[in-house]
Amino acid sequence: MTMTMSTALLTDHYELTMLQAALRSGAASRRAVFEVFARHLPGGRRYGVVAGTGRVLDELDRFRFGDEELTFLRDNQVVDESTLAYLADYRFSGDIWGYAEGDLYFPASPIMVVEGTFAEAVLLETLILSILNHDCAIASAASRMRNSAGGRPLIEMGSRRTHERSAVAAARAAYLAGFASTSNLMAGHVYGIPTAGTAAHAFTLLHDSEKAAFEAQVASLGPGTTLLVDTYEVAEAVRTAVELVGSKLGAVRIDSGDLGAAAQEVREQLDALGAFNTRILVTSDLDEYAIAALAAAPVDGYGVGTSLVTGSGVPTAALVYKMVARETAGGRMEPVAKRSVGKPSRGGRKEAYRLLDETGRAETELVTTSGLVPEDGIPLLRELVRDGRAVGAEPLSAARERHVEAVALLPADALHLARGYAAIPTEFA
């Protein structure tokens, strides 16, 4: 999302106190490698979706400590003067690699690798995690909804159910994972996502009758508009709508009740009235399970709000940012890893490959620190930032296309909605 303010304070206090201590010890300038990965896929999901990489590149470009940020840190005694002097000149000059947006990830997949001095790289932890944890969670939920929809279009309409900036990011992540459009105009403005929307119940209630409301909407938006038919009595509203517009009526929307039964009744009524091409859209607290339950109903599209922008019950991707290699006092890079109970990490700068079986389906996620390059493996890490400059930016449409291709390579049981294990195992070499 384009903004003018610095992103440098979108971080945690202890990032700066670590920096101060490292500057004092002399270790701040040592090379370090940090890695973003998930120890598990929350919610028992079968795969995760990489999203937010483009936003990381945008925000990294504005990660600068200007006068306002430095004054805040000084006034609140967050760090000392020598650290403030370092921050005044801060520019990330390292390298970043990552899985491409729209691709899939599994437990321990190194979806982003950040290499630079400790001082440069440690400051990016919170910014990177806040973006990726949010966007990956939303995209993963959106992908499951897309699978459940079976080719029927999905509209993202959850802006009023989340923070205003999160709403824009959520619309982006949902579109990446296959949603057709969004109700959020800022997302349309910033990211070029198609926007859609017609009228709410308030518009009907405003007018002296439902017929008057429909007449006003059709006069303004044309016969191809979508009329909301459940403000009062659905059958009466459908009858009124077809009487006004005839067979050219674009769609009707149902926003309450038993959506499957209502859709069936409305379809039969529309057909009886000759409105064979009028589509039926449904909304009302939909998630992937509700969408799947409507698979046999005569529904032509879905509008999803609350469940989408909250990750359908899984609002974070559980990603972490851990150091996996560091430069010793002697100048040699060596792997490092946590041994904490329940929170281990694997040391070493990694590469990752996706291995396919004889049918062309994804079979294994291979993560290696040995330099091994499998003969038929698909390399997953690509260069995103070189010497501090973004080199991996791409249009959102590329990520959207990539996601379709990546999901198509999964084994069939990866699309099951029930809780389960990762669709493919992660192996280490």
Side-chain angles (χ1 to χ4, degrees):
M1 181 175 178
T2 301
M3 295 183 65
T4 56
M5 66 180 291
S6 166
T7 58
L9 294 184
L10 295 176
T11 191
D12 288 310
H13 187 116
Y14 81 160
E15 310 290 6
L16 300 189
T17 53
M18 280 194 288
L19 170 64
Q20 176 176 301
L23 288 170
R24 183 167 299 182
S25 74
S29 61
R30 292 187 186 182
R31 300 292 294 177
V33 179
F34 287 83
E35 179 183 303
V36 177
F37 65 94
R39 295 188 179 94
H40 68 284
L41 298 179
R45 293 181 174 173
R46 311 301 178 94
Y47 64 89
V49 180
V50 179
T53 308
R55 294 210 304 122
V56 169
L57 298 182
D58 290 341
E59 303 294 359
L60 177 63
D61 190 53
R62 296 186 295 108
F63 197 89
R64 303 283 187 271
F65 292 86
D67 291 341
E68 183 178 350
E69 291 74 32
L70 295 170
T71 297
F72 167 80
L73 297 175
R74 179 179 290 109
D75 290 349
N76 288 276
Q77 299 181 345
V78 176
V79 289
D80 60 21
E81 287 298 323
S82 60
T83 306
L84 291 172
Y86 173 86
L87 293 174
D89 294 327
Y90 177 88
R91 300 290 186 275
F92 180 74
S93 63
D95 305 316
I96 300 178
W97 295 263
Y99 280 35
E101 276 202 283
D103 206 345
L104 310 181
Y105 69 90
F106 303 92
S109 295
I111 68 172
M112 187 168 284
V113 178
V114 180
E115 183 169 356
T117 66
F118 174 82
E120 289 181 339
V122 75
L123 293 185
L124 300 181
E125 175 181 7
T126 303
L127 179 68
I128 288 175
L129 285 182
S130 63
I131 292 173
L132 296 184
N133 266 314
H134 175 269
D135 289 23
C136 290
I138 303 303
S140 297
S143 181
R144 286 159 58 89
M145 294 173 187
R146 173 185 169 274
N147 296 337
S148 296
R152 298 168 177 174
L154 293 144
I155 304 170
E156 185 282 311
M157 47 193 301
S159 295
R160 63 194 64 187
R161 298 291 188 259
T162 188
H163 184 277
E164 65 271 17
R165 290 185 66 186
S166 298
V168 182
R172 181 185 185 277
Y175 184 69
L176 178 156
F179 273 55
S181 58
T182 178
S183 65
N184 190 288
L185 291 177
M186 182 62 79
H189 172 60
V190 175
Y191 298 119
I193 301 170
T195 61
T198 50
H201 292 103
F203 184 78
T204 300
L205 295 170
L206 168 69
H207 290 80
D208 294 335
S209 68
E210 193 168 50
K211 179 180 180 181
F214 288 175
E215 286 176 331
Q217 184 175 329
V218 171
S220 174
L221 301 178
T225 190
T226 299
L227 296 178
L228 182 58
V229 295
D230 72 330
T231 303
Y232 304 119
E233 202 279 317
V234 173
E236 182 61 30
V238 171
R239 186 178 304 109
T240 299
V242 177
E243 287 176 353
L244 285 173
V245 184
S247 61
K248 294 182 179 180
L249 176 61
V252 296
R253 177 163 73 96
I254 308 169
D255 188 50
S256 60
D258 183 333
L259 297 178
Q264 184 63 47
E265 293 170 359
V266 169
R267 182 73 271 159
E268 292 174 359
Q269 185 181 10
L270 288 170
D271 290 349
L273 294 170
F276 302 105
N277 296 321
T278 299
R279 296 172 296 117
I280 299 174
L281 307 180
V282 295
T283 52
S284 184
D285 292 328
L286 295 175
D287 61 13
E288 61 265 48
Y289 302 101
I291 292 170
L294 291 167
V299 172
D300 299 290
Y302 308 90
V304 188
T306 302
S307 290
L308 187 281
V309 298
T310 58
S312 194
V314 185
T316 176
L319 299 171
V320 295
Y321 184 93
K322 298 300 177 185
M323 185 190 290
V324 294
R326 60 114 188 185
E327 183 183 8
T328 67
R332 178 174 57 86
M333 293 296 292
E334 67 175 13
V336 293
K338 286 179 57 176
R339 290 194 287 269
S340 306
V341 176
K343 292 185 175 181
S345 59
R346 293 177 180 267
R349 171 71 164 79
K350 301 177 182 67
E351 294 293 338
Y353 302 88
R354 191 155 298 147
L355 308 184
L356 308 182
D357 63 18
E358 62 278 2
T359 69
R361 295 278 185 174
E363 182 177 45
T364 305
E365 191 92 338
L366 179 66
V367 180
T368 174
T369 57
S370 64
L372 169 70
V373 179
E375 182 178 346
D376 298 321
I378 300 172
L380 300 174
L381 285 166
R382 57 177 58 195
E383 193 175 26
L384 300 174
V385 175
R386 182 193 309 141
D387 298 330
R389 297 178 61 85
V391 295
E394 62 179 7
L396 189 56
S397 59
R400 184 175 164 89
E401 294 170 6
R402 182 180 297 112
H403 181 65
V404 173
E405 296 168 357
V407 171
L409 294 180
L410 288 174
D413 60 3
L415 305 187
H416 292 176
L417 295 180
R419 295 174 64 93
Y421 296 107
I424 63 174
T426 303
E427 296 183 359
F428 294 88

